[in-house]
Amino acid sequence: MKLENIIFDEIEIGQNVSVVRTVTMNDVLGFAALTGDFNPVHVNEEYANQTRFHGVVAHGMWTAAQISAVIGTTLPGPGSIYLSQDLKFVAPVKIGDEITTKITVIDKDLSRRVVTLDCQCTNQKKQEVVFGIATILAPKEKQLVEVSEPSVTVCENTG
């Protein structure tokens, strides 16, 4: 797949992009395997059913990673550098939820090439699940980059 960035000079206040992704159990298990976060509310259905969530929930940081994915691939895209992120986690994300991640440009600092983004993740019921503000150092040079999408296989631990 080819990724093309949006350079600082092309970015406008109010510009936005949305990406939709449905949460799968493989997403949650893969995230647990990559991070080492095996909190049973994320990886043990029997345990999770007894919690206030009444089922497995995705890691909050899985949802935050969706924001990072949009920034790193779309707005601004390749060459952007994360400077900061302030997030509020306001509702659980469950297996099967359809999460829409929306990034909106709310400010530009011309002297430093820094862009401030409003970040919002909502579920299929239009309920906000995560929101916050990110600051990004936007790229100054146009890039068109070919990347191959890696695949991850989640296997049951038999040992």
Side-chain angles (χ1 to χ4, degrees), residues 13-118:
I13 293 176
Q15 188 174 3
N16 67 76
V17 65
S18 295
V19 174
V20 179
R21 182 164 175 181
T22 301
V23 184
T24 69
M25 191 63 188
N26 276 345
D27 290 332
V28 174
L29 293 175
F31 193 85
L34 291 171
T35 63
D37 182 351
F38 301 108
N39 181 332
V41 76
H42 304 305
V43 298
N44 183 309
E45 191 170 354
E46 185 177 320
Y47 175 90
N49 285 335
Q50 303 305 311
T51 69
R52 66 190 283 181
F53 304 116
H54 305 289
V56 169
V57 293
H59 301 73
M61 294 309 291
W62 179 91
T63 309
Q66 303 315 298
I67 294 169
S68 179
V70 173
I71 291 169
T73 62
T74 309
L75 180 61
S80 56
I81 299 172
Y82 238 122
L83 299 175
S84 69
Q85 180 79 62
D86 178 33
L87 293 173
K88 304 278 188 274
F89 299 89
V90 293
V93 173
K94 301 188 97 178
I95 305 303
D97 279 356
E98 185 178 86
I99 302 301
T100 299
T101 303
K102 182 177 181 183
I103 307 296
T104 304
V105 178
I106 58 173
D107 194 29
K108 285 179 68 174
D109 180 336
L110 300 173
S111 64
R112 299 181 346 185
R113 278 192 5 258
V114 171
V115 178
T116 303
L117 304 169
D118 178 71

Side-chain angles (χ1 to χ4, degrees), residues 129-151:
V129 296
V130 174
F131 69 91
I133 302 293
T135 55
I136 307 299
L137 181 61
K140 61 181 174 181
E141 296 177 3
K142 202 69 174 160
Q143 297 178 24
L144 182 61
V145 183
E146 182 74 36
V147 297
S148 49
E149 191 173 337
S151 63

